[in-house]
Amino acid sequence: MILDRFRVDGKVAVVTGAGRGIGAATAVALAEAGADVVISARTEDQLRTVAKQVEAAGRRAHVVTADLSDLDAVAGLAGEAKDAFGRLDIVVNNVGGSMPRPFLDTTPNALTRAFEWNVATAHALTRSAVPLMMEDEGTGAVVNISSLIARVGGRGFVAYGTGKGALSHWTRMAAADLAPTVRVNAIAVGSIATSALDIVTQDDGLRTAVEDATPLGRIGEPEEIASAVLFLASPAGGYITGKIIEVDGGAERPQLEM
């Protein structure tokens, strides 16, 4: 059956930023499709809640509370997967971000931090994960969470947009280096109803502005990104690598400017 191609039974995944929002939804989606999951973020109680949802889906969760801006900590998640579950097949690089600010208030250090948080973390974890994915002639899938603002201009997002733009191109470069054994793709997300967007969803004016800038006329849900992650990580996406999948409600311009 075609639906079997969306299964990841017996696979092991690492999901960063998994305490809430897109990361949490992704961890649960992968579990519902058959994977055991290593979940990591800063806040343990959030991770424990997600772990219960993973276990309710009949799979195992391994919680790693960590500051994932520490490159050694994020790289160590690959070993955590090996130690906890004996293998590693899927990596979802979901940490990242940068606070919006005017151009003249964006220092060179802010650009550097945006690159480290959005790109270096993905590189550190993926670099540690690839040898484990390739054990016993195995294969792997990496999915990076990028952004609409990586490909369009928007006031106030020079650091964030540059960081995500670099992540998108890192995706293409890593895919070329690692083919055919490890597939590497990314999702360019639009405005999604996570805690990071509370300032928008709780303000009628801002929410309307975002909805008006989105052809589908609404803000997306974390589960819609999780569904795309599952597609790219599963055999259903087995002929896709080096691509940036846009899940943004059809937006062709910034949905919000600061």
Side-chain angles (χ1 to χ4, degrees):
M1 293 178 61
I2 191 66
L3 291 181
D4 292 339
R5 299 190 65 81
F6 292 85
R7 300 291 306 177
V8 287
D9 295 299
K11 303 294 186 181
V12 171
V14 169
V15 182
T16 60
R20 58 188 180 180
I22 291 170
T26 295
V28 173
L30 289 169
E32 290 177 348
D36 296 321
V37 191
V38 175
I39 52 176
S40 187
R42 285 189 177 92
T43 307
E44 183 172 359
D45 61 345
Q46 292 178 345
L47 291 171
R48 294 294 175 191
T49 298
V50 176
K52 290 178 181 178
Q53 294 176 281
V54 169
E55 290 160 2
R59 304 308 304 179
R60 297 173 293 173
H62 178 61
V63 170
V64 181
T65 306
D67 177 0
L68 298 180
S69 66
D70 181 331
L71 297 182
D72 289 334
V74 73
L77 296 177
E80 293 277 356
K82 176 71 172 178
D83 292 345
F85 300 128
R87 60 185 296 153
L88 178 56
D89 307 280
I90 299 164
V91 166
V92 182
N93 288 307
N94 177 53
V95 293
S98 181
M99 289 299 293
R101 63 187 66 189
F103 182 90
L104 292 179
D105 293 339
T106 303
T107 65
N109 283 339
L111 278 174
T112 299
R113 289 193 298 272
F115 181 86
E116 290 176 349
W117 187 219
N118 290 281
V119 186
T121 52
H123 183 73
L125 175 51
T126 304
R127 184 170 176 266
S128 294
V130 165
L132 300 180
M133 291 174 168
M134 296 172 66
E135 284 185 356
D136 301 321
E137 299 183 355
T139 61
V142 176
V143 183
N144 302 315
I145 303 301
S146 187
S147 172
L148 164 69
I149 207 69
R151 66 177 179 85
V152 301
R155 289 181 181 273
F157 293 100
V158 66
Y160 179 62
T162 299
K164 288 301 190 185
L167 177 62
S168 291
H169 198 54
W170 182 92
T171 297
R172 300 180 187 98
M173 302 299 283
D177 278 344
L178 299 175
T181 308
V182 176
R183 296 185 299 107
V184 186
N185 293 290
I187 300 171
V189 306
S191 294
I192 304 298
T194 68
S195 59
L197 211 67
D198 281 349
I199 190 173
V200 173
T201 57
Q202 295 173 8
D203 182 294
D204 289 343
L206 288 175
R207 184 183 186 101
T208 298
V210 170
E211 291 171 344
D212 288 347
T214 307
L216 289 185
R218 63 178 178 86
I219 291 172
E221 296 296 331
E223 289 76 14
E224 292 175 302
I225 307 302
S227 298
V229 172
L230 177 59
F231 166 61
L232 291 173
S234 71
Y239 199 51
I240 302 172
T241 197
K243 302 303 179 186
I244 316 301
I245 306 299
E246 298 168 4
V247 185
D248 55 18
E252 291 296 334
R253 60 186 175 90
Q255 292 158 302
L256 183 67
E257 292 193 331
M258 305 303 290

